[in-house]
Amino acid sequence: MTKRINFINPFGSESYDAIIAKTLSHYAASDTLLDVTHLENCPADIDFFYSKHMIEQSLYEQIMRSQELGYDAVIVGCLYDPGVRVARELVNIPVIGPLEASFQMAAYYGHSTMVLTDHRKAVPYIYDQARLNAQGDTVRGVDAIDWFVKDMINDRQSVANDVVRLSKDAAQRFGAETVIMGCTIIAAIYQEYLMEGGAPSEVPIINPNLMALKTAEGLADLHRQGGYFLARSGFYMQPTGHFKTEFENARRSWNAAKPEFKR
């Protein structure tokens, strides 16, 4: 039976859909149908936190609709893991954050890791996420290649070159055995570079898109077989009674009042 997984690029732009589909689809299991989608009527970039919070509100609706449309799992395609924990309150299907999945899978690649993210603003955020995910001393550090997503998509060769050069340097500087690509678009650009015959980095690179896909496939299988369900007694408790009515009213109000963003 086919598993349907929705990889949502959390951007109000289709600019990144093609490269994610190109570099990730061939990793999907034979019984996985992977759709790569994006958001409408929200900011095109998530680099700054004001835009991130607006994007998250659009994400919640898209994730709920994904469950309603019969998807078996959702991947939120950004290393900020925007809205992932809140979204698990909203739906029963697995919601996967690429950074969380990468942290969880990193031990299979080496004893220690670090994150090589896109720009300096993201560095402290990723450090916070490492603490949130209880990674302790196995995450040795976070560094950046100093690119913004809207720029890197137009100069992919330079980005790939920086990944190869800086991943080795950063791993040595922080004493890490492996490197997590700290941006889904960086990871896709690096994967495209490898597919086109580029020489790989000298240190193992953990591709968060692939980690998220394989986590989503595994949890989707478990969910369909009754082996995955969320605890609803605490953090992921869902609204009931008058709280449920309030939630439904809030959802209707949001959909009726969504802003339009001009490009």
Side-chain angles (χ1 to χ4, degrees), residues 89 231-239:
E89 176 192 289
R232 298 299 187 188
S233 59
F235 190 89
Y236 296 126
M237 182 187 298
Q238 292 181 312

Side-chain angles (χ1 to χ4, degrees), residues 181-194:
M181 284 292 93
C183 167
T184 55
I185 307 306
I186 295 176
I189 289 171
Y190 177 66
Q191 185 63 39
E192 181 183 58
Y193 158 84
L194 294 178

